[in-house]
Amino acid sequence: MDIVKGIAASTGLYIGKAMLWDGGELSEVPRYTFRRLADCEKEWARFQNVLTNAADIRKKKIACNVAKLNKTESDLLKTQIMMLEDIELHDQVHARIFENSENAEWAVWEISHTMTQLLMTSPDANLRERASDIAGICQEIIYNLMGRERHTLSKLSQNSIIVARDILPSDAISMDKRHVRGIVLDMGSVTCHTAILARSFEIPAVVGLGGLSRKIENGATLILNAALGEVIVNPDAETLKKYRKMLREHEQARKTAEAVQTDAPVTRDGVPITLKANIGLPEETAKVYKYGAQGIGLFRSEFLFLTPGAPSEEEAQFQAYSKVIKASGGKPVTIRTSDMGGDKILPNFYNFEEKNPLLGWRAVRFSLSQPEMFKMQLRAILRAGVYGSARIMFPLISSLDELLQAKQLLDEAKTECEQAKQKFAADMKVGTMIEVPAAALIAEALAAHVDFFSIGTNDLAQYTLAVDRGNEKVNALGNPRHPAVLRLIKMAADAARKAGIGVSVCGQVAADTSMTALLLGLGIEELSMNAASIPAVAAALRTLNMAACRKLAEKALGCATAGEVEDLFKR
Ligand code: PEP
Ligand code: MG
């Protein structure tokens, strides 16, 4: 029996079997060249064989229909057959094999890369969707050529604890949530997006475990005590017995917690603090209100686009936003425009080979460079806004110019809705995230142009402290209690108060009850978090007194280190 300590990313307890997952990554595509024409001919025949087989399997599926395909599934198979038989693809591979003497895997990889990049930047939503289809089918061809299969987590036959080096958010979003009962990762941190999704789906997760995935055997029994960030590998009988009892108690406690309706959250001295929920998918909406959420403080809309068969067209987006707004029954819903990029990419889709994706073409930067795509999202949000109380928010703003450009496109989107005679929420409130130090430093200038700020402490800590939030090796350095981060939060809160606009925190610290007093003292009046944490934060609030919170914040702002700040909590 081994007890391994990692980072508690999503609380919960589970006992089950390990399912090792290789990440389904095409980490290395073989590349070699041929000298003789005869070898090129053999390679060409090998390529054709793989494509014919892949098309035949699909044709048989449609013809026999043993799988009882519905229309969408059979349409998808037909489209895939068309792609597999696409003359252009065949011609391009032929040219690369015979003119460059390249092997087929490499030829397909290169062609897929060029095609998807081209399609992805198209203003036409259908073409952009085709990019992902092409990337998917090319990946399958490459796997087949290599004699391998890409395993995803979308269909599992039994309850498992997934053990992997890492899981991309795009894979996490499509995983089989009925059967994934726990997640154990070598990489990651509390604020990496797979951890965020695990919390949203209420799947216990321990991350940042170094090389554990290489030491665990497939099928090994694991106890995942995620609250403590602990993984027990091959527990002995006595430990198993103890944890099984704990698991039964846990289940009971969870059922009771689900039934809890929290009272309106106020501090002990009667100051009301708004507690809202963060969501990634529309389906989560109903659940968050069971935990007493007073609205949705952050809808991470980019997760919509990471869902397989994702709705990228305006109508499908409009439906998704409307669903959240309607299910919120008049409670405010803050929809953040797409924060795509960074770690939130589809493999082989947004494949732009950035050296530093977290400093690159991400979030509002990506949106501003694709104005038609961006306006489509803005129109969908504006139109959905008529069903309740929605607000729009821009991620990763780092300058006033960016904010003004985004607002200009919002105005254009409104004009387009008018021209199309569509109903829309003309006076929708607009906010910006404060998650880049530059934004906090110019908060006064930004505040003059928005209705609210939402401070994303996950990124604010990452960019202030130069710590990749997904890298377990430097995770401990990314402490949001660092006085530098606290001072930036204070700057943003002060600027908001001065301008008379709202200010909230929607990063992970909002769910951390040890930080509640400090955040309130810094001037934060609203917290948005994973819904399951709301009851605990509401309970913490009830013990706090605002004057003491302000004193604590004043002391923390004067500290030199995160350690000194943490010491203040102990007093
Ligand atoms: C943040 O950065 O704190 C935030 C809430 O946004 P995300 O975690 O989606 O980057
Ligand atoms: Mg962020």
Side-chain angles (χ1 to χ4, degrees):
M1 173 168 110
D2 276 324
I3 302 178
V4 194
K5 266 268 187 212
I7 300 163
S10 174
T11 194
L13 178 68
Y14 189 68
I15 303 170
K17 299 279 179 215
M19 196 200 104
L20 295 188
W21 189 59
D22 65 0
E25 272 172 47
L26 256 181
S27 48
E28 269 178 50
V29 178
R31 182 182 192 181
Y32 44 89
T33 49
F34 302 104
R35 294 223 176 128
R36 300 178 314 157
L37 180 64
D39 291 334
C40 294
E41 276 161 358
K42 260 196 222 152
E43 189 64 355
W44 174 237
R46 190 169 78 93
F47 166 75
Q48 284 188 309
N49 198 18
V50 161
L51 264 74
T52 311
N53 276 345
D56 283 352
I57 289 171
R58 287 169 169 83
K59 283 178 190 164
K60 273 188 203 134
K61 262 194 191 166
I62 297 174
C64 317
N65 202 8
V66 277
K68 302 221 175 351
L69 305 166
N70 61 31
K71 182 161 173 353
T72 320
E73 287 162 331
S74 70
D75 282 353
L76 177 68
L77 289 177
K78 283 179 197 156
T79 314
Q80 289 174 338
I81 294 168
M82 267 165 51
M83 286 193 275
L84 289 162
E85 292 177 345
D86 180 23
I87 281 290
E88 202 184 315
L89 174 68
H90 285 247
D91 283 353
Q92 287 194 39
V93 174
H94 187 275
R96 294 190 80 113
I97 293 178
F98 286 94
E99 288 164 27
N100 302 358
S101 308
E102 279 173 1
N103 63 310
E105 290 94 333
W106 188 255
V108 176
W109 169 251
E110 288 276 295
I111 293 164
S112 143
H113 188 70
T114 315
M115 275 164 121
T116 49
Q117 282 210 17
L118 202 73
L119 291 172
M120 246 319 292
T121 49
S122 161
D124 182 333
N126 292 329
L127 288 181
R128 286 198 307 276
E129 254 169 34
R130 226 173 112 68
S132 123
D133 297 340
I134 289 178
I137 205 86
C138 286
Q139 197 174 62
E140 182 185 324
I141 298 170
I142 298 171
Y143 270 106
N144 289 350
L145 285 163
M146 292 166 71
R148 283 175 49 192
E149 207 182 316
R150 182 178 196 265
H151 298 290
T152 68
L153 295 170
S154 59
K155 276 199 191 109
L156 303 176
S157 55
Q158 58 184 32
N159 292 349
S160 311
I161 297 177
I162 307 298
V163 179
R165 188 169 165 272
D166 195 11
I167 299 179
L168 286 177
S170 49
D171 281 309
I173 208 134
S174 58
M175 68 194 173
D176 181 348
K177 286 148 207 108
R178 285 167 314 146
H179 287 118
V180 176
R181 305 303 295 273
I183 294 174
V184 168
L185 298 183
D186 290 350
M187 296 174 65
S189 68
V190 175
T191 57
C192 74
H193 285 97
T194 296
I196 288 171
L197 285 169
R199 288 194 290 276
S200 263
F201 303 148
E202 297 183 14
I203 297 174
V206 179
V207 302
L209 285 151
L212 188 66
S213 75
R214 276 173 299 178
K215 294 180 197 143
I216 293 180
E217 284 186 8
N218 211 20
T221 300
L222 302 181
I223 296 174
L224 191 57
N225 190 0
L228 297 182
E230 233 171 52
V231 182
I232 306 177
V233 187
N234 296 324
D236 56 34
E238 202 180 320
T239 312
L240 257 180
K241 195 171 157 205
K242 177 178 127 194
Y243 275 92
R244 283 201 178 118
K245 181 168 174 277
M246 218 161 123
L247 189 62
R248 283 194 296 275
E249 288 163 2
H250 238 257
E251 279 298 308
Q252 196 46 49
R254 198 176 56 83
K255 281 187 193 139
T256 320
E258 269 178 11
V260 168
Q261 284 280 347
T262 51
D263 297 331
V266 284
T267 59
R268 200 178 56 187
D269 51 336
V271 178
I273 301 294
T274 308
L275 300 184
K276 291 184 183 168
N278 295 349
I279 62 164
L281 293 174
E283 298 77 76
E284 291 173 56
T285 314
K287 187 185 70 187
V288 307
Y289 292 114
K290 291 195 186 136
Y291 288 106
Q294 292 168 290
I296 308 282
L298 171 64
F299 176 8
R300 291 181 163 99
S301 72
E302 61 279 4
F303 286 128
L304 276 182
F305 305 103
L306 295 179
T307 311
S312 63
E313 283 165 5
E314 180 170 338
E315 217 41 45
Q317 285 194 55
F318 164 69
Q319 296 296 343
Y321 306 137
S322 302
K323 193 170 165 181
V324 177
I325 295 167
K326 284 179 187 166
S328 296
K331 293 198 178 80
V333 174
T334 304
I335 302 174
R336 177 173 75 182
T337 61
S338 171
D339 185 10
M340 197 65 104
D343 62 338
K344 285 177 277 195
I345 51 162
L346 280 173
N348 294 339
F349 189 59
Y350 281 78
N351 195 348
F352 299 107
E353 286 178 8
E354 291 184 284
K355 284 228 169 90
N356 292 298
L358 291 168
L359 300 180
W361 203 24
R362 185 190 155 186
V364 80
R365 301 168 181 188
F366 180 81
S367 296
L368 291 176
S369 70
Q370 310 288 318
E372 292 309 318
M373 198 200 285
F374 188 32
K375 280 195 286 177
M376 184 197 288
Q377 178 171 39
L378 296 172
R379 288 193 304 271
I381 300 172
L382 286 165
R383 289 173 52 209
V386 299
Y387 296 116
S389 161
R391 314 194 300 176
I392 212 159
M393 174 161 80
F394 303 120
L396 214 78
I397 290 285
S398 60
S399 72
L400 180 59
D401 299 334
E402 270 177 338
L403 176 62
L404 296 181
Q405 277 177 55
K407 286 189 67 179
Q408 167 64 31
L409 289 171
L410 181 62
D411 284 342
E412 286 178 29
K414 286 182 185 173
T415 308
E416 287 163 9
C417 288
E418 258 163 23
Q419 283 164 351
K421 300 202 181 345
Q422 287 163 325
K423 285 191 196 147
F424 66 99
D427 55 355
M428 189 176 284
K429 297 253 185 303
V430 181
T432 180
M433 292 203 63
I434 302 287
E435 49 185 353
V436 179
L441 291 162
I442 58 158
E444 286 196 15
L446 298 176
H449 298 274
V450 289
D451 301 302
F452 65 94
F453 282 163
S454 188
I455 305 175
T457 45
N458 304 337
D459 276 321
L460 189 60
Q462 160 166 267
Y463 294 122
T464 307
L465 304 170
V467 170
D468 175 349
R469 61 194 262 194
N471 183 338
E472 76 286 359
K473 293 224 168 49
V474 288
N475 176 63
L477 298 174
N479 189 339
R481 296 172 186 85
H482 192 299
V485 180
L486 301 182
R487 287 175 208 176
L488 291 169
I489 295 176
K490 176 81 163 82
M491 280 180 125
D494 284 352
R497 198 194 54 244
K498 213 165 136 193
I501 63 168
V503 59
S504 65
V505 164
C506 62
Q508 180 55 23
V509 293
D512 179 348
T513 50
S514 73
M515 284 290 282
T516 313
L518 182 49
L519 292 174
L520 264 52
L522 290 170
I524 303 302
E525 54 203 27
E526 178 178 314
L527 300 167
S528 191
M529 65 203 82
N530 58 309
S533 298
I534 291 177
V537 175
L541 276 178
R542 284 184 208 109
T543 67
L544 300 176
N545 173 298
M546 280 309 282
C549 293
R550 283 192 204 103
K551 239 186 221 152
L552 173 72
E554 206 176 297
K555 281 188 192 150
L557 289 166
C559 288
T561 66
E564 282 178 26
V565 174
E566 279 160 8
D567 285 345
L568 293 176
F569 299 163
K570 293 172 197 152
R571 282 182 209 163

